[in-house]
Amino acid sequence: MKVFCGRANPTTGSVEWLEEDEHYDYHQEIARSSYADMLHDKDRNIKYYQGIRAAVNRVKDRGQKALVLDIGTGTGLLSMMAVTAGADYCYAIEVFKPMADAAVKIVEKNGFSDKIKIINKHSTEVTMGPDGDMPCRANILITELFDTELIGEGALPSYEHAHRHLVQENCEAVPHRATVYAQLVESRRMWSWNKLFPIPVHTSCGEQVIIPPLELERCPGAPSVYDIQLNQVSSADFTVLSDVLPMFSVDFSKQVSSSAACHSRQFEPVASGRAQVVLSWWDIEMDPEGKIKCSMAPFWAHSDPEELQWRDHWMQCVYFLPQEEPVVQGSSIYLVAHHDDYCVWYSLQRTSPEKDRRVYPARPVCDCQAHLLWNRPRFGEINDQDRTDQYIQGLRTVLKPDSVCLCVSDGSLLSLLAHHLGAEQVFTVESSAASYRLMKKISLLLGEPFFTTSLLPWHNLYFWYVRTAVDQHLGPGAVVMPQTASLHAVVVEFRDLWRIRSPCGDCEGFDVHIMDDMIKRALDFRESKEAEPHPLWEYPCRCLSEPQQILTFDFRQPVPPHLIHAEGSIELRRPGRSHGAVLWMEYHLTPDNTVNTGLLKSVEDKGDCCWNPHCKQAVYFFTMADPRAPLGGPQTVSYTVDFHPHTGDITMDFSLSDTLDDGQ
């Protein structure tokens, strides 16, 4: 059965109706999921297996049958571990139907159908009794309901309901306990992801400074966590102001509450500075004694940094305090962790929250609207003075005293820059009402280009379509900036990111090929075969080729009616495993001034990459039987890339091929 789906085209700006398979959303969910990443997380899998064995043994030692409730079973892996460890029966709950269907097949293939029942429901809908989904309460509760923030996937309500309705009192739980940790830091880099800094502009009248509006300065910011690979942030980018503080724990073997709560920790700062950011992570203990532990701690706080497990489904959290506050070394202060049923946030207090009752029950909410318009990387991009200087240099090249400028970008400060640099008139066109409120005193229209609807690098070609739409309003000799853009690509070997697209095959002795096949089928759908966005500064990789320009786009002319086609090959110059091609855009403001959204530095001998930290690059993963296996060399990568002007889509295909010596 086919259905019509409405889609806002981020490149052309038009709304399109496409015919899709009725299970299209399911396939997208599977293709973009972290299932493969979790199955490749050996540390997680081993610790769960150890904890499950120990829990089953404790129940058996009491002379009881081991009845397991597995909430969020996914592939059924943890239930199969439980049966292998000696559990008598498992009730495995999975709400996502395609995954529940796959779990049934995986359980059957591994020979556990007589001991594991897959229940395709939300855990709160599971019935109890002779005619229900479960005949009696379980005495072992196994779950994997956690996200980077621990509670963001609804772990607390699910545990609360399970203890009330599905498991016995004082049941065994795997994991047994979770603890959330926090560390207070000062970091100009991270603070630049949350606040707008003053922007100096050197003009003919001397230096002028663009000062952020007072309402933006006073705004507590966006309430949501910023989850990143904290191990990729240099220790030189922040100053530690506190020791690592255990903020709160949740015992999953007892009744859990999803009610809002706060937890305070008194501490003495280890250094004086401006408290701006709270770094946070958690660990889970699989047993009551805490001997089996799985930790999300970054390298500087990890008990064994050499054995640090890379994972992308669980990372670390960055929280921004509502306002930066001075702290003095040795002067006692309180860090308070607040949470509701799904979210965590932090505040600093000078006195005990229990004494002065000054506990903030509600999450901080943005009231300046800038945090609704700009995400965290966008704040960092706007605060990047080197990048701003490139635009200033480009504007100086093209501006004249009688210039009438038009700026096309969302939430851009280019209009302010053009005004300060002497443009006669500046007009700005914003697609967002929030942008308009921020920029209502500015009249400018240029292009960074940046648009909030853009996911992939080339979606910002929307600038080209707007430029085409206003073509009749451009006077003779009008200058467009940027003048041109180009699409670039390089073939890379990822240190870890390959895992999210790699088949697993066997996981801790269990056959999960069915899951691999399901992901592959999902990836065969149209959108899932395209490149996907990733902030590659968080994911180290090596360039196996030199960067290569693939396509060019001339903004000085309207969008052409015909296809823009490119095909060729990329020679691999370094040995390694070709995991995929990375693509990015470069915007040529003037012939001598380019803004690069991708690879920032020339590739060195070893191929180490330095990526623009404010932008997401596009990754086209190659299809490989085993991305860990060394490839024969040398090799080339052939490509075909097409820009379709009517739809704004860029389609591509990359294929690996051996380079044969003469005579072979």
Side-chain angles (χ1 to χ4, degrees), residues 338-354:
H338 312 257
H339 73 78
D340 53 24
D341 48 350
Y342 282 90
C343 303
V344 179
W345 63 98
Y346 287 87
S347 65
L348 269 184
Q349 299 189 21
R350 301 290 172 180
T351 57
S352 170
E354 288 75 15

Side-chain angles (χ1 to χ4, degrees), residues 188-199 226 373-391 409-414 417 447-452 454 457 460 537 585 587 595-598 600 611-617:
R188 178 177 174 81
R189 180 186 179 188
M190 291 187 230
W191 197 236
S192 77
W193 301 337
N194 183 57
K195 295 288 185 179
L196 183 61
F197 296 165
I199 301 172
Y226 187 25
L373 172 66
W374 298 330
N375 60 20
R376 274 57 180 267
R378 177 61 171 167
F379 264 97
E381 188 173 50
I382 291 176
N383 283 319
D384 186 336
Q385 189 61 44
D386 290 339
R387 178 180 179 275
T388 299
D389 289 342
Q390 285 184 279
Y391 284 102
S409 282
D410 285 346
S412 176
L413 301 184
L414 282 182
L417 297 179
E448 296 188 31
F450 171 85
F451 301 99
T452 55
S454 297
N460 283 320
W537 73 269
M585 297 289 289
Y587 297 101
V595 173
N596 189 337
T597 70
L600 293 183
W611 299 101
N612 186 316
H614 311 306
C615 304
K616 289 184 178 181
Q617 293 74 39

